Amino acid sequence: MEFKLTKEIVPAAEVIYDGVQEQSVEMDYILPDYCPDIFRLIRCDTVPVITGRSVSGSRLTYELRCDIRILYCGEDGGAVQSVEQHRAFTKTVELGRNAEDAEIVLIPKTEHVNFRAVNKRRLDLRGAVSVKVRVTGRREQEVVSDASGMNIQLKKTELRFAAKKLSGGKSVRIEEDIELSAAQPDIESIISCRCTAGQCEKKLVSGKLLARGEADVELLYTGGGTVETMRFSLGYSQIIDVEGLDDSYECTVTPEVVSCTASAAVDKEERSRILRCEAELRLVCRGVRTAAAMIAEDAFSTVYPCTVETSEIQAEQIPAVYDESFRYSIRLAEGENVPQNIFAMWSEARNINIRAADDGRSVVISGMLTCSMAAKDKAGMIIMPDHEEAFEKTIGLPDDISGAALSAEAAVRETSYEISAEGVLTARSDIVVKLSVYSSDSVKGITDIIIDDSMKKERDGDYAIKLYFGARNESIWDIAKRYSTDVSAVMEENDLTGERLESGGMLLIPIVS
């Protein structure tokens, strides 16, 4: 019978670029006349944010903004003063090939920051931020899906892959005025404003994607000789138009915080009792339609010598997502080192790593946890120290993840603290983790089979059946291939139903050509 190969085109993931870019950040700032002289520096926060990106041919261009906030006290030791500055940069990456349909991931990170007061009116800052850049494209790969003739035997496996991908996005601006409660003092100075985007609910309606969620804001301000904390949420509901999106796609919407600013406004009595908050979010939508194909991963002929060419297929997999959480405690201070008053405490999880545990059903999450607080020390001075500690946590999963590829995102949902009877200050951070488990990094597939029909295989004797002692869990395919015989004949002769032997024992191997 004529030998015939059937091939199929499957999309394979291809990393176009994977690297890190660094950007130095410098600031030489002279205080305006209305600001008091610098007596004591309290804190400096530098937050890098990606505000835009575009691809033209083989060049990626993105916009990077660094938000800088320096807090200090004047000589009277009273109100905390805040200096806010922004530095914008345009960065380019040469990708080496066309990437206009590629998926782009940009992760900014503060590497280090040093700041000082040059004199009573001048601030100097030197630091660096980095951006992890990963660009993933697609390429078509031809693999063997079927073969017939020349006594060929095929071992097939199912390959699930992302057959079609769609993406879209929308910028959202949220503005809200919040009146202070009667128990809260007037706003003197806003010293901190942190915004995190929670999970986004989504619903597909008539080809339009409805996204609804909240951005959680935590704010610190000075007033009445103390530091006040405010927590509130800014809601949004948006329609995102993604051309071609329908119910056949698995869809995700990821909200990213671009900016969040807060300012004081006066009420009817000309008092600073209104907080005006403005936030900008970017809603990133990704839709993936999955497909499956049976591809050949091994082959042999029972009669003729043959050569099998294989390739590792980096198929784009749809991950299984697990939302997990755990609590981690840090001992911050004890005895005389415990602050007199603690106004607020927060924490941030960074440098997250993940690996599979030895049992195949657990993952180990590790990283750095930075715990910060706004407090008043024994001398009555406002302090805002950081405490950094490495953490590691093992999380059990309901499924076997052996051999899977893993990724994780971690964020702190809430931070609380307690002071024990022994005078020990301990912070407790509730950390939420989004785990993505990909079934396999790659799959081995056959790209070509070449049969030499000019000769036949030589056997070690003229027999129709052979005895073989099989080991428990041994592959039926491997046994049949070893004796160049038909796989189904071995299974039928020995009443086998699975791909592997359930127990060891003697087998009858029919020699079928």
Side-chain angles (χ1 to χ4, degrees):
M1 183 186 294
E2 181 184 0
F3 182 61
K4 182 180 179 181
L5 276 181
T6 302
K7 295 186 177 183
E8 186 164 339
I9 300 294
V10 298
E14 182 180 38
V15 177
I16 299 173
Y17 185 90
D18 190 2
V20 176
Q21 287 193 318
E22 287 201 356
Q23 174 63 53
S24 61
V25 181
E26 298 181 357
M27 185 186 79
D28 188 358
Y29 182 78
I30 298 176
L31 296 179
D33 294 339
Y34 56 81
C35 289
D37 290 350
I38 301 167
F39 178 71
R40 181 174 61 90
L41 295 175
I42 298 176
R43 182 182 181 86
C44 175
D45 288 312
T46 301
V47 180
V49 181
I50 303 297
T51 60
R53 72 199 73 185
S54 63
V55 174
S56 177
S58 62
R59 174 176 290 183
L60 165 66
T61 302
Y62 63 92
E63 304 298 324
L64 171 67
R65 189 188 71 227
C66 291
D67 299 331
I68 303 168
R69 184 191 291 266
I70 296 179
L71 303 179
Y72 75 93
C73 280
E75 192 169 358
D76 59 3
V80 176
Q81 305 297 321
S82 176
V83 173
E84 292 185 52
Q85 290 288 291
H86 307 280
R87 296 291 183 269
F89 310 94
T90 298
K91 306 287 288 183
T92 60
V93 183
E94 294 297 337
L95 304 176
R97 53 155 280 192
N98 189 293
E100 292 188 354
D101 295 327
E103 183 174 338
I104 301 167
V105 177
L106 302 171
I107 304 175
K109 172 187 171 184
T110 301
E111 293 293 341
H112 63 86
V113 173
N114 296 308
F115 69 108
R116 66 189 179 103
V118 178
N119 55 45
K120 292 183 178 182
R121 308 293 304 170
R122 186 174 177 180
L123 291 167
D124 178 75
L125 178 144
R126 298 288 183 270
V129 298
S130 66
V131 179
K132 180 175 175 56
V133 182
R134 183 177 177 87
V135 182
T136 307
R138 308 179 75 184
R139 60 183 175 86
E140 294 184 339
Q141 189 158 347
E142 195 176 51
V143 293
V144 173
S145 59
D146 203 2
S148 61
M150 295 294 184
N151 305 89
I152 195 71
Q153 298 281 304
L154 279 186
K155 182 182 181 183
K156 295 183 179 182
T157 187
E158 183 182 63
L159 175 66
R160 298 191 63 81
F161 55 89
K164 181 76 173 177
K165 299 175 70 175
L166 299 174
S167 62
K170 189 173 186 179
S171 292
V172 181
R173 299 191 71 90
I174 313 170
E175 299 181 6
E176 189 167 336
D177 287 350
I178 301 167
E179 292 188 12
L180 302 185
S181 68
Q184 292 175 307
D186 291 2
I187 301 171
E188 293 177 1
S189 175
I190 295 172
I191 61 176
S192 175
C193 183
R194 296 180 301 278
C195 180
T196 56
Q199 289 189 344
C200 182
E201 298 179 0
K202 59 188 182 299
K203 185 178 181 181
L204 192 63
V205 180
S206 302
K208 306 287 187 180
L209 187 65
L210 175 63
R212 180 185 293 113
E214 292 182 338
D216 299 320
V217 180
E218 184 173 2
L219 181 140
L220 297 179
Y221 76 89
T222 59
T226 186
V227 176
E228 287 287 322
T229 303
M230 291 187 66
R231 295 183 178 89
F232 53 89
S233 297
L234 303 175
Y236 63 86
S237 180
Q238 294 289 319
I239 293 177
I240 307 174
D241 190 7
V242 182
E243 186 177 355
L245 187 65
D246 57 33
D247 292 330
S248 66
Y249 287 83
E250 293 183 39
C251 187
T252 62
V253 178
T254 304
E256 300 175 352
V257 178
V258 177
S259 66
C260 184
T261 59
S263 60
V266 296
D267 60 10
K268 295 179 180 179
E269 299 177 358
E270 297 297 319
R271 296 174 60 187
S272 297
R273 299 196 57 77
I274 296 177
L275 179 69
R276 182 159 295 158
C277 186
E278 299 180 6
E280 182 182 355
L281 305 181
R282 182 171 54 244
L283 304 181
V284 180
C285 172
R286 295 183 177 90
V288 179
R289 186 171 65 200
T290 60
M294 296 299 295
I295 67 169
E297 61 177 342
D298 198 6
F300 68 90
S301 170
T302 60
V303 177
Y304 303 101
C306 71
T307 302
V308 175
E309 296 180 359
T310 63
S311 176
E312 291 292 327
I313 303 171
Q314 301 285 338
E316 291 185 279
Q317 303 287 332
I318 307 303
V321 178
Y322 301 86
D323 292 315
E324 304 290 339
S325 62
F326 64 92
R327 172 171 287 183
Y328 191 83
S329 297
I330 297 179
R331 184 169 174 157
L332 297 178
E334 59 182 295
E336 292 297 318
N337 294 322
V338 176
Q340 177 182 316
N341 292 322
I342 298 175
F343 305 115
M345 189 172 290
W346 63 96
S347 52
E348 179 185 10
R350 300 183 294 107
N351 301 342
I352 302 302
N353 296 301
I354 182 172
R355 61 179 175 84
D358 295 336
D359 63 2
R361 302 186 72 90
S362 303
V363 294
V364 180
I365 304 286
S366 61
M368 298 298 295
L369 185 65
T370 302
C371 186
S372 308
M373 63 177 164
K376 184 177 289 187
D377 64 13
K378 302 296 184 183
M381 306 291 283
I382 299 294
I383 57 173
M384 299 180 71
D386 292 333
H387 182 94
E388 192 172 64
E389 184 171 304
F391 71 89
E392 184 174 283
K393 180 70 174 181
T394 300
I395 299 175
L397 299 178
D399 305 307
D400 190 341
I401 59 169
S402 300
L406 307 170
S407 67
E409 300 174 10
V412 178
R413 180 175 55 202
E414 186 178 3
T415 301
S416 59
Y417 67 92
E418 68 172 2
I419 302 175
S420 68
E422 293 77 21
V424 177
L425 172 61
T426 302
R428 297 186 297 263
S429 299
D430 293 326
I431 302 174
V432 293
V433 181
K434 180 180 179 181
L435 303 173
S436 297
V437 180
Y438 299 81
S439 60
S440 176
D441 265 325
S442 61
V443 177
K444 185 178 75 170
I446 295 178
T447 57
D448 202 5
I449 302 173
I450 303 170
I451 292 183
D452 183 4
D453 59 358
S454 64
M455 56 184 297
K456 292 186 177 182
K457 289 182 176 179
E458 294 184 3
R459 300 189 181 274
D460 57 1
D462 186 14
Y463 47 82
I465 202 163
K466 199 167 179 76
L467 293 176
Y468 174 78
F469 189 86
R472 182 179 180 274
N473 206 38
E474 190 172 1
S475 167
I476 309 300
W477 172 269
D478 291 342
I479 296 172
K481 185 177 181 180
R482 183 180 301 121
Y483 290 100
S484 294
T485 192
D486 188 277
V487 177
S488 59
V490 175
M491 298 182 69
E492 183 179 345
E493 185 70 32
N494 296 276
D495 293 327
L496 301 173
T497 56
E499 295 181 354
R500 294 182 176 274
L501 297 177
E502 294 181 359
S503 60
M506 194 65 69
L507 299 178
L508 298 176
I509 310 298
I511 306 303
V512 178
S513 299

